[in-house]
Amino acid sequence: VMKTVQRHIVMGDFTPQFIHKLQDFYQKKVFLACEMKYLKNSPCVRLWNDVLLVSVLKGQNVLGYRMDKGKKDVLFEPISVVQLRSELLQHQHRYRELCRYLRVVQSNDSTLFQQLRDLVPFFFCLLGNFSSAIMNLFPPANAPASRFSPQLFLVFLRIFQTATAPKLMVTHMEQLCSSSATWEPIEAAEPMKCVDLVKFALRAQRFSSSVLSDSQCWTSLLQIVNSPALPAPSPQFLHDAQDVVKSLLCEKVSNMPIPRTFLEVYPDQALLLLVTGALGAQILDASLSPALPVLSTFKGNLWALQWLFESLAQSKEHFESIRQQITLEAANTTESSLAAGWIQSSQQQSLPEAT
């Protein structure tokens, strides 16, 4: 009953005058048993014109409290009310105000509240503000990206790549992965540049081990940097790239700065080699299965695949392991794919270096 009353109050179904009378009656005339005392303040929901709430929604108050006649008024609301406000603001497409509210309000259910707060980057996406979305995915502490599943990573990668988003009413991140959702263009948003997509993906891998080890995540990222087919860079660039990529991947900073000099001559090839180097590091550190779909993305850039195998050949044990895995996957596939043949062909070129 109390949740129903809260819903009517938040959704604006009652007039302010009626709400005040209801709250006054409940506080003064209703007596609850000891075990139900926690319900005492249930109808005492802030109205939308509450001074503190309005200042937070307008961005005038980022602290979540104000001093009122010497007393500290804190924006603390039960999770049921926070969820209702989130629902209404989403319905009204007031995403900027929703982000301000969720970042400031305090609540009583840490688990459900965290699930709502994790959605702040998505709401920034709906505003077309991808830079703020990235900042809120990777804050210094308690990053939402650390709770990425592979499916959720792919959702954000698609949002950033296409400037479209699923049309959904959400209360937690995994709902974004709904296969039945309709994707629509985001007003005033432009797709991210390839370099920024790569930075996002590599940062996400650092925050989420499940993303790092997922074959489909690698495939989707490599499809971005492997398309279209690129001319091979100079042998000197390929040689120098080994050290540059290794140095970048060893950087401990989370924002993955890419030197401008590395992107000057062969910008597209440099990004492909950076992602390829990250893939090689993952293969050397742990298994990647299935591997064939990932390596098949190189079908238009066999020179990059050759570069990958040359880096893997530095470890004979790992090189032999991935060679056997590719051979096994190619033998078990129902399709005698041309990609598998290309991969095995390039693999044979690198094989002598492993011995």
Side-chain angles (χ1 to χ4, degrees):
V1 175
M2 286 300 103
K3 287 187 176 181
T4 302
V5 173
Q6 288 177 343
R7 183 173 188 85
H8 284 303
I9 293 174
V10 174
M11 295 301 174
D13 297 333
F14 296 154
T15 64
Q17 294 79 7
F18 178 77
I19 293 173
H20 285 306
K21 289 181 179 180
L22 176 65
Q23 292 174 340
D24 185 65
F25 172 81
Y26 192 81
Q27 288 289 312
K28 295 179 179 179
K29 303 295 184 180
V30 176
F31 298 94
L32 299 172
C34 292
E35 63 271 17
M36 299 179 67
K37 288 292 185 182
Y38 67 94
L39 293 174
K40 188 66 176 177
N41 294 319
S42 294
C44 297
V45 178
R46 293 177 188 266
L47 301 186
W48 284 102
N49 62 358
D50 174 82
V51 175
L52 177 57
L53 180 58
V54 168
S55 66
V56 167
L57 294 176
K58 288 184 175 181
Q60 299 167 345
N61 186 321
V62 296
L63 300 176
Y65 68 86
R66 73 184 187 101
M67 300 307 297
D68 183 20
K69 298 178 181 179
K71 294 183 179 180
K72 191 174 184 180
D73 182 20
V74 179
L75 186 59
F76 183 97
E77 300 197 292
I79 190 62
S80 55
V81 173
V82 176
Q83 290 173 327
L84 288 170
R85 292 200 195 280
S86 174
E87 179 184 337
L88 183 60
L89 290 172
Q90 286 183 69
H91 181 71
Q92 296 174 339
H93 298 172
R94 295 164 62 187
Y95 303 116
R96 194 179 310 279
E97 292 162 288
L98 179 54
C99 290
R100 292 167 179 164
Y101 172 71
L102 289 176
R103 288 193 294 182
V104 168
V105 68
Q106 299 178 36
S107 193
N108 59 322
D109 189 316
S110 59
T111 300
L112 294 178
F113 187 46
Q114 185 63 63
Q115 290 176 354
L116 273 173
R117 272 192 166 172
D118 280 352
L119 286 165
V120 167
F122 174 66
F123 297 138
F124 271 117
C125 287
L126 297 181
L127 288 168
N129 191 342
F130 289 168
S131 60
S132 291
I134 292 290
M135 287 178 58
N136 283 273
L137 278 172
F138 304 104
N142 197 23
S146 66
R147 291 177 284 279
F148 265 0
S149 64
Q151 295 76 19
L152 197 50
F153 164 78
L154 293 174
V155 167
F156 275 93
L157 185 65
R158 180 179 174 183
I159 291 173
F160 294 143
Q161 183 186 6
T162 65
T164 63
K167 186 179 181 181
L168 292 167
M169 188 79 65
V170 288
T171 58
H172 57 86
M173 288 273 257
E174 290 302 325
Q175 290 174 325
L176 299 177
C177 304
S178 171
S179 58
S180 60
T182 301
W183 284 65
E184 297 182 347
I186 301 172
E187 186 177 353
E190 294 184 0
M192 268 189 182
K193 296 178 180 178
C194 187
V195 62
D196 294 320
L197 289 172
V198 169
K199 286 182 178 181
F200 158 70
L202 295 183
R203 290 178 74 182
Q205 290 176 351
R206 291 185 174 189
F207 277 79
S208 171
S209 59
S210 63
V211 172
L212 177 62
S213 61
D214 186 79
S215 180
Q216 182 56 53
C217 292
W218 280 108
T219 300
S220 297
L221 175 58
L222 283 162
Q223 285 173 342
I224 293 173
V225 292
N226 261 309
S227 180
L230 302 169
S234 68
Q236 185 62 47
F237 183 84
L238 289 171
H239 178 269
D240 294 343
Q242 291 281 4
D243 292 332
V244 175
V245 168
K246 186 179 296 184
S247 175
L248 286 174
L249 296 176
C250 289
E251 288 278 356
K252 298 302 181 183
V253 292
S254 66
N255 61 350
M256 182 66 71
I258 303 176
R260 185 176 299 179
T261 53
F262 184 52
L263 300 172
E264 280 180 346
V265 182
Y266 300 102
D268 296 328
Q269 291 88 337
L271 288 177
L272 173 54
L273 291 178
L274 178 57
V275 176
T276 302
L279 173 64
Q282 172 61 14
I283 292 174
L284 290 174
D285 187 60
S287 61
L288 183 68
S289 181
L292 193 54
V294 177
L295 300 180
S296 293
T297 61
F298 290 95
K299 60 186 178 183
N301 294 298
L302 290 182
W303 58 267
L305 186 64
Q306 174 75 20
W307 187 86
L308 170 64
F309 280 124
E310 287 175 357
S311 65
L312 294 178
Q314 297 173 13
S315 171
K316 182 177 180 179
E317 179 182 350
H318 286 91
F319 185 86
E320 183 63 24
S321 175
I322 191 67
R323 185 183 71 84
Q324 292 177 358
Q325 183 178 346
I326 294 171
T327 303
L328 182 62
E329 289 182 20
N332 290 338
T333 185
T334 56
E335 301 177 5
S336 179
S337 68
L338 186 58
W342 280 331
I343 290 171
Q344 290 174 331
S345 174
S346 290
Q347 179 191 48
Q348 291 300 322
Q349 295 175 30
S350 294
L351 189 56
E353 298 186 30
T355 58

